[in-house]
Each structure stands twice: as structure tokens, then as C-alpha cells.
Amino acid sequence: MKRKHKRLTFVAIAGVLIAIAAALVLTAFDENIVFFRTPTDIVQNKVKEDQRIRLGGLVEEESVEQGTDGVVNFRVTDTANTVPVYFQGILPDLFREGQGVVAEGKLMNGVFVADEVLAKHDENYMPPEVADAIKDAGQWKGEGQDMNQDNGESSL
Amino acid sequence: MNTISSFLDMGGYAAFVWPSFGLSAVLLIGIFVISVRTLKANHATLDALNNEAERASPSEGPAQGET
Amino acid sequence: MAMIERFANPNRFLTLTRPLVPWLGGLTLLSLGAGLYLGLFQAPADYQQGESVRIMYVHVPAAWMAMFCYTSMAISAAVGLIWKHPLADVAGKATAPVGAVFTFLALATGSLWGKPMWGTWWVWDARLTSMLILFFLYIGYMALSNAFDNPQRGAKAAAILALVGFINVPIIKFSVDWWNTLHQPASVIRMDGPSIHPSMLWPLLLMAIGYTLFYLWVLIIRMDADVTAGKIRALRQRRVHG
């Protein structure tokens, strides 16, 4: 019975130590674990020009301009700030105005030049008729709703 | 016919939807079959060992090294 | 504790659980059949993702089971290390390959879902990376438990790895809340209730129940096989040395 208690205490203490170590490591690498930066980060000059980053946010409504040869210009917003994006290439199926997007590239003269664009979707799943009904009823809050409800830009 | 082919087409995502379901089925059935086979083989080995023990005296039993 | 003591004897455990096997098998097939029927034929396409959303019905239960199996493996490891329960190591060893399969399925079906929707097979975001680490933890557990000539030493080393690695499970769960990730936040297990329409939630839950029953079904079969293997080992040793 004594040995059993000793082992239990040992496992419990080891568990607490591992949890603390993991928390420290994750906090130290916080910047690297973040998959993308927000337009606010860019506007506040937290990102240097020519630094390769991922920019995440929502594709601003009515901002997408399709050019020739797969060139597309759009603006990415986190509802507080907005950054113009230039991209040439194939867009994912989910890319559309009002939806989440993550673009990878560099900031050049105030324009984010992306060489890869990924679509990010939200956690809402529903049939199209239900989505239409919610929109008709004026209850639609779009993706922005989760952004305001939860913890700021991190839950885009 | 038309409904079947449109069902199989999965709105153009057939190349992603069906491999997902297929791979899941193959791997789950696979681990199930392996588990049942191991169980049956082990039960057969144990029965054989017990039968041997009944016939021969334990000290003369063959030493089988493999696991 | 009395409950654990009653199951402590492997023979008693087997006589109690063997009759459950056909029932678990039947219930597994029933819920998976219902889940597949609802998921493939009755559930609607998603307003954004179209028909590709059906991958959810095999992806999400696999990901849940990957974490559930690891959790039960870690609990078995703790019980084995602290109380030296004879069946704990057996349960952990029986769970690991099943958990590894679920984790691999979550990664593979997620990749097949990510390509058309996100535009990429893989990204190194916190959710996907921590899930890959979970897969390696399963592989490490299986390798360690077979790495020693003495099975008890192998079980002990593997149990320590399972306990240390358990820290990864909450990291997987909360990765989408703690950091910016490409993967979306939780849809079902969340504070303010599911954000999935009921017509899609029901097939998902049926599939999840089916996957859980499948795990229990295979678990009992694998534990039976392992206990039998232990008896074979003991008989042969007695014969060599006796």
C-alpha cells in the first residue's frame, strides 16, 4: 500500500512537471506556432517588408477583381484593418468574398504579393436552404460573428 | 441511372470523397481481420499445447523457441 | 476499486467480456450502417463546401477516436504503473494499433478534404502538426513495448511514454483556440452547443457511436488474443524449465 502511494505521488508530480514544461515551450514558440498574421499586425508595422509571412483574414466583400492570366486582386480584412493582396494562380474552391483566407507571400510597397492562397472555412455546417433562410430572416452574422464573440482575430 | 451517376460524382468531389470512405473501410476491416486471425491462431496454439500436455508428461514436452 | 479487483483476474475478465463480442459486433454494424446511410443519402450538401462535406462523416469520428484511444491508453498506463494491474498493460497494448489506425485515417481523410477546400494537402499549422505527433506517439508506444526481451519491461517503458505524451491530447483539442490555425475551431464539442445543422449532426453522431463500438469490439478481441499469448508463453517456459 505504501509503495502504491509512492508510485501514485511520483506519477502525479511527473505529470505536473511535464505540463509546466510543455506550457513554457509552447509559450516560447508562440510566434512560430501562429500559422498566420492579421492585417492589423501589418498595419501596426509588426511585419517587415520583404519578410515572408502568411496573412490571414476575411476576403472583403466586393473587393475581388479577376484579371487576365489568373491574376486576381482582393483585399483581406480582420474588420479592423485591411490589406490589398495581389495573386496570380489557381484559387481553392472555397475562395469567395466574405470567407476566410490565408495568403502566403511578401509585403511590397503596401501590397501583399501572394504566391499561394489557401481558403479557411468556419465551423458552421448547414444545408444551403437553411443558410438562405437565415439570410432572408436577417439573422445572418457571417463569419465576423465568431470573431467578435470569441477571442478577437485568433478565431477567424 | 442519372441519379446513380450524379450520386457517384459527389458534386465533382468524387476523387476526394470516395477515397476517404474507401481508405477508412479498408483499414478498419483490415485491423479487425488481423485481430480475429491472431485470436484464432492463439486459441488453436493454446489448445494444441494443452492436448500435448495431456498425452505426454510435461517434462518430455518439446521446447519450441519461436514466439 | 472493487470493480477493478473483480476484473483483475484475466480469466474472469475473459469469461465476462467474451459474450459481449457478438453484441458489440452487431451494434457496431448497425450504427455504422445507419450513419453511412444518413450521411451519404439523407444528409444535405453544405452551403459552402457542397458534397465534399461528407468526408466529415469519416474524418471527424476518426479524429475523436484517435484522441479517445490515446486517453484510454494513458489511463491504462497510469493504472499499470501505479497499481500494477495485470490487465492494464494488456489493454494499452491492445489499444495502440487501433488508435494508430484512427489517427492515420484522421490525417489521410483530412488531407483528402483539405485539398479541394483549403487548396492544400497539408500545412504545418498547430492542429495538423499536433495530430501528426500523436501518430508518432502511437508508433513509439508500439515500438517500445516490443523493444525488450522481457515483456514487462517493455510495457513499463511504453507506459511512461504514453503518460508523458498525454500532454499532447489537450494541445490537439485546444490548438484551434490557442493559435491561429488553418483548421477551423470545434463544431460539435463547444461551450455554446454544436454549430452543425441537425441533419448533418445526426449521421456524424451515429458514425462516432459506431467507431466507439468498433473500438470496444476490437479491443476485447485483441485483449483476449494477448492474454492467450501470455498463457502460451507461460506454458512453453514451464515446459522448457520444468
Side-chain angles (χ1 to χ4, degrees), chain A residues 47-66:
Chain A
V47 178
K48 292 187 213 83
E49 293 238 334
D50 277 353
Q51 184 188 351
R52 199 175 161 74
I53 60 150
R54 295 194 194 88
L55 168 69
L58 300 174
V59 182
E60 198 175 58
E61 296 284 352
E62 291 168 13
S63 74
V64 179
E65 288 168 27
Q66 301 268 7

Side-chain angles (χ1 to χ4, degrees), chain C residues 24-107:
Chain C
L24 280 171
L27 286 172
T28 302
L29 296 180
L30 213 65
S31 33
L32 286 184
L36 281 175
Y37 171 72
L38 287 183
L40 286 173
F41 298 102
Q42 294 297 310
D46 183 62
Y47 77 116
Q48 291 287 0
Q49 309 193 37
E51 303 284 345
S52 79
V53 77
R54 296 187 201 282
I55 296 173
M56 172 172 74
Y57 303 125
V58 285
H59 170 75
V60 174
W64 284 346
M65 290 313 292
M67 291 194 281
F68 180 77
C69 286
Y70 198 91
T71 306
S72 52
M73 214 168 80
I75 293 171
S76 304
V79 173
L81 284 175
I82 298 166
W83 289 284
K84 306 278 178 194
H85 192 293
L87 277 169
D89 295 337
V90 176
K93 245 176 94 185
T95 297
V98 190
V101 164
F102 282 132
T103 313
F104 180 81
L105 281 177
L107 289 167

Side-chain angles (χ1 to χ4, degrees), chain A residues 4 7-8 26 30 33-36 93-94 96 99 118-121 123-128 130 151 154, chain C residues 44-49 81-84 116-118 171 177 179-181 183-185 187 190 195 197:
Chain A
K4 204 184 286 179
R7 291 197 296 265
L8 179 61
L26 293 176
D30 199 29
I33 295 168
V34 166
F35 188 65
F36 56 82
D93 292 5
L94 264 191
R96 58 198 67 168
Q99 274 278 332
L118 304 177
K120 183 172 159 54
H121 66 79
E123 67 275 32
N124 300 309
Y125 298 85
M126 64 185 94
V130 175
N151 45 354
S154 68
Chain C
D46 183 62
Y47 77 116
Q48 291 287 0
Q49 309 193 37
L81 284 175
I82 298 166
W83 289 284
K84 306 278 178 194
M117 288 302 109
W118 296 343
I171 291 176
D177 302 320
W179 303 289
N180 295 339
T181 53
H183 197 285
Q184 72 283 4
S187 295
R190 43 186 275 153
S195 57
H197 193 262

Side-chain angles (χ1 to χ4, degrees), chain C residues 203-225:
Chain C
L204 180 61
L205 291 180
L206 277 168
M207 291 300 285
I209 293 168
Y211 271 47
T212 313
L213 290 167
F214 175 85
Y215 162 60
L216 295 175
W217 187 24
V218 176
L219 175 71
I220 292 178
I221 292 170
R222 295 186 70 86
M223 286 178 73
D224 191 343

